[in-house]
Amino acid sequence: MMEAILHNPLFAPVVITLVIVAVFPLLAGYIVLVERKVLADFQVRLGPMRVGPHGLLQPIADALKLLLKEDIIPTDADRAIFWFAPCISTFTALTAFAVLPLARNIYVADVNVGLLVISATSAIGILGIILGGWSSNSHYPLLGALRSAAQLVSYEVALAFALVSGVMVAGTLSMQGIVKAQLDRGIWFVFDNYLFMIVPFAVYIIAATAETNRAPFDLPEAESELVAGFHTEYSGFRWALYFLAEYANIFVVASVAVTLFWGGWLRPFPNVAWLEIPVNYVFPVLLFAGSGILSLPLVKRLVDPLQQKVLVAVAVMLVGVAALFAVPVVNTAVIGLFWFLFKVGLIVYLMIWFRGTFPRYRYDQLMNIGWKVAIPVGMGAVLVNAVLGMTRK
């Protein structure tokens, strides 16, 4: 019976789905920690430092706090919709993970319309924001929901044009097919069409930042104007669901950018055979081992012996991961996932960099960028890429 279960075609997708659902909330918490640390570094301060060595356990404390906080529903709110709205946003955000190609053999499903599935789920996710703001029966959440609706509808158009440019080059909507097309062509699509694909990539990043309500386009959550925006009346676990959906969306849009423009799970120069050892073995080993070794001097700065032991354990764990990457069997199994997550991390870092650099736009400026700049540039990029594609053939 065990052999039948292992060979069942549904076994791997179910296991990968359970792993994603179990691991991603923890990953989202540590993305927040990285964001807080990076923004603190931009502002010449330390960021979270109290919970665990150098704040390493802060996401665990935040999660416990959110789970234990009182769940308040306003008296005049529409209780059913108020309760269900965060579930819509979270469910649609996590559904998009089903078609993400995390590695050559690590994915839930490879469908021939994978990119359309992601676009559809992201479009439906806006309903959770709109219903959450409307059902609160409060002025500020309603204004945040209306802003979000206008903003996401506007930037969805520019995002679609950027995706069309990528699909024209790839010739398929399958997410795995897009990666394999880059492998066959021997080039990441961001450098294709004589480097012109950089233009739709730039449009995509700008539109994706607006789609995920990230600064400088975080008008639906502008705390200086709307208290906290569409989720002002939410607290505890339901607020945590909105938070989880937001960071799931950030991960998804970064994954689509990596898959469509930056080679997905492919290593740099995948068709150059002699780079296999230095890129797939030496780089990850140096990255993890170097991170572990460089964290050891920080132990001396800690006063609490328990925190010292935790940081030493983290350093040893990183060195152990480096050792695993030196094993050929393990390396072959996980190197695709490593490169995919490494590239996604760079895109997420770029979005954090945006937040720490640019001031929030006014709402009219936001709409002007969307309708007068991003959409025309996206349309022009589609036409130019079509012409360049024909001349190349």
Side-chain angles (χ1 to χ4, degrees), residues 150-151 154-155 362-372:
Q151 175 176 324
S154 300
Y155 281 86
R362 292 197 317 265
Y363 198 70
D364 61 306
Q365 293 173 327
L366 177 74
M367 290 292 110
N368 282 337
I369 293 172
W371 288 102
K372 296 181 181 179

Side-chain angles (χ1 to χ4, degrees), residues 55-195:
L56 283 178
L57 300 181
Q58 185 66 48
I60 309 299
D62 290 341
L64 290 175
K65 178 192 72 174
L66 290 172
L67 290 173
L68 296 175
K69 283 184 70 174
E70 182 181 2
D71 185 17
I72 299 172
I73 299 179
T75 304
D76 295 326
D78 188 317
R79 297 181 68 88
I81 299 178
F82 187 89
W83 184 91
F84 192 63
C87 301
I88 297 175
S89 294
T90 306
F91 180 79
T92 54
L94 293 177
T95 300
F97 281 74
V99 293
L100 292 181
L102 303 176
R104 185 187 296 273
N105 297 315
I106 304 177
Y107 58 88
V108 177
D110 178 24
V111 295
N112 59 356
V113 289
L115 205 54
L116 286 181
V117 172
I118 294 176
S119 299
T121 54
S122 65
I124 295 173
I126 184 182
L127 292 176
I129 294 175
I130 296 172
L131 291 175
W134 177 78
S135 64
S136 299
N137 194 28
S138 179
H139 299 301
Y140 291 127
L142 179 60
L143 286 173
L146 294 176
R147 282 185 173 190
S148 182
Q151 175 176 324
L152 299 189
V153 168
S154 300
Y155 281 86
E156 190 82 32
V157 181
L159 189 75
F161 280 124
L163 295 178
V164 167
S165 293
V167 171
M168 288 168 60
V169 178
T172 178
L173 288 167
S174 165
M175 299 295 282
Q176 284 283 14
I178 291 170
V179 178
K180 291 174 181 176
Q182 294 173 81
L183 178 62
D184 294 338
R185 294 269 295 281
I187 187 172
W188 291 351
F189 285 156
V190 73
F191 303 117
D192 207 359
N193 283 348
Y194 313 103
L195 300 182

